[in-house]
Amino acid sequence: MLLTLLAEGSFTLVGRYAPSPTGALHLGNLRTALIGWALARQSGGRFVLRFEDLDARSRGPFRGLQLADLATLGIDWDGEPLVQSKCHSRYEEAFAQLEAEGMVYECYCSRRELSQIASAPHTPPGAYPGHCRDLTPTERAWKREELAARGRGPAFRLRTNEQTLTFTDAVYGQQTGIVDDFVLRRSDGVFSYNFVCVVDDAYQGVNQVCRGRDLLSSVARQNYLHQLLGSTPPTWVHVPLVLNDKGQRLAKRDGAVTLEQLRECGIESAQVIWMFATSLGFPPANTVKEFLAHFDLDHMSREDWRFTAPVPLSAQP
């Protein structure tokens, strides 16, 4: 059906890649970006970028470095990347819409209380059971005053009417996820990931999201929020992860895992693309064009790839 719509010119696929600019991209980030790029380009669609930098820890000089890493591999994109820290007015507008509809309430729970709630019996893992949902005005005033005395403000949660939501992922099939009263705005005033990525996807016209399978659990909440805000949820493509030699999700602390570090080990971009292609079950490729020629989501490996970081040449005996 998707290919038919594309052929008729009535549907343009828009994929996206949205890193946090906290440093150089590692192999796991880059492999996911390449898959998302291939999905968009294979369909003649658009591929857009955005930087998820609302958290102050993400506001470093790394946006240019990440763009350079993508370009080094041959991954291109359409238009100027969106920068979340420049989009506060759009988030405020969407938040105000939900508030006006009575869909937002203050939450006064501390981290300790949240950890206790998460471990309580009969509570689905990761779900918030609405502890602050139905407090009286008097109780709210007392809680607010108590927080203010400690120099804190409340978080803001979405008042949901569903407990679960079922969706289909292009790789992992039908899934059912939790829809709890999740946080829209943290106690420090920063909007949450689940909230801003929905607003941004709608604004950028994104209708296909490719990202790591570790984010599958957030889809139900995001689809629900799309419905509330009047936007259409994208199709979802969650892909296998890149793991370190201990079987843990790859991170920058795992040694030579960025393009610059790999070059110090004698591994160039063509070899990186070759590793990506073969790790996904495709024929060897040395360029992104060759990768695109062989890319087939239906025949892509569903297994995580365990990567052992090489030793830099300067450190070899």
Side-chain angles (χ1 to χ4, degrees):
M1 182 62 177
L2 177 61
L3 292 177
T4 301
L5 289 170
L6 287 168
E8 294 174 351
S10 58
F11 181 90
T12 299
L13 189 147
V14 181
R16 54 92 158 162
Y17 181 60
S20 296
T22 56
L25 299 171
H26 62 63
L27 288 182
N29 307 138
L30 291 166
R31 192 175 78 149
T32 298
L34 179 59
I35 296 170
W37 173 86
L39 283 166
R41 297 307 190 216
Q42 186 180 61
S43 306
R46 301 179 66 242
F47 187 63
V48 299
L49 300 183
R50 72 168 173 260
F51 290 108
E52 298 187 337
D53 68 338
L54 287 184
D55 194 309
R57 292 170 297 181
S58 300
R59 296 179 193 170
F62 297 113
R63 293 202 300 261
L65 176 60
Q66 293 185 345
L67 292 176
D69 285 344
L70 296 174
T72 295
L73 290 184
I75 296 173
D76 62 345
W77 55 91
D78 298 293
E80 287 294 318
L82 182 148
V83 179
Q84 285 186 337
S85 58
K86 299 179 180 179
C87 301
H88 282 284
S89 61
R90 185 158 55 248
Y91 307 140
E92 293 285 3
E93 182 179 352
F95 185 77
Q97 174 186 332
L98 295 173
E99 274 193 314
E101 295 171 356
M103 302 300 295
V104 179
Y105 67 89
E106 292 182 351
C107 176
Y108 315 96
C109 295
S110 65
R111 289 185 179 181
R112 176 181 293 182
E113 289 170 329
L114 290 173
S115 65
Q116 292 172 344
I117 290 170
S119 61
H122 312 302
T123 300
Y128 180 76
H131 186 69
C132 294
R133 181 183 177 111
D134 298 316
L135 297 177
T136 66
T138 300
E139 289 171 325
R140 290 193 181 281
W142 180 80
K143 290 278 191 182
R144 199 178 296 120
E145 184 177 338
E146 182 184 46
L147 281 184
R150 292 184 292 180
R152 290 182 51 219
F156 293 85
R157 291 184 179 271
L158 181 68
R159 188 183 298 273
T160 59
N161 297 316
E162 301 289 339
Q163 293 184 330
T164 62
L165 190 147
T166 298
F167 63 95
T168 300
D169 181 75
V171 176
Y172 294 100
Q174 189 173 34
Q175 305 282 322
T176 298
I178 295 169
V179 181
D180 60 349
D181 290 2
F182 58 92
V183 171
L184 298 175
R185 196 170 201 163
R186 300 180 339 204
S187 60
D188 60 2
V190 176
F191 287 111
S192 72
Y193 165 77
N194 279 322
F195 177 65
V196 295
C197 79
V198 168
V199 176
D200 287 338
D201 281 343
Y203 176 78
Q204 291 187 285
V206 171
N207 48 36
Q208 182 183 79
V209 172
C210 173
R211 58 188 187 180
R213 66 166 179 80
D214 54 318
L215 292 172
L216 262 171
S217 61
S218 67
V219 173
R221 295 181 178 98
Q222 291 171 18
N223 276 3
Y224 183 79
L225 188 53
H226 269 292
Q227 295 169 14
L228 291 181
L229 292 174
S231 52
T232 302
T235 59
W236 299 97
V237 184
H238 287 80
V239 299
L241 302 178
V242 180
L243 309 178
N244 62 20
D245 55 5
K246 297 179 181 178
Q248 302 164 329
R249 188 174 63 176
L250 194 69
K252 298 182 183 75
R253 63 178 177 272
D254 290 317
V257 296
T258 68
L259 291 185
E260 182 179 0
Q261 291 168 334
L262 290 170
R263 280 194 294 269
E264 293 175 358
C265 298
I267 298 174
E268 299 297 331
S269 298
Q271 293 167 276
V272 172
I273 295 170
W274 187 95
M275 288 191 293
F276 287 165
T278 55
S279 72
L280 293 165
F282 302 137
N286 293 312
T287 66
V288 293
K289 289 185 178 180
E290 292 177 4
F291 180 90
L292 182 60
H294 299 305
F295 183 78
D296 183 345
L297 186 65
D298 290 337
H299 293 91
M300 185 183 76
S301 172
R302 269 57 173 170
E303 299 297 321
D304 293 333
W305 174 39
R306 188 170 294 200
F307 176 77
T308 301
V311 178
L313 296 174
S314 59
Q316 294 179 14

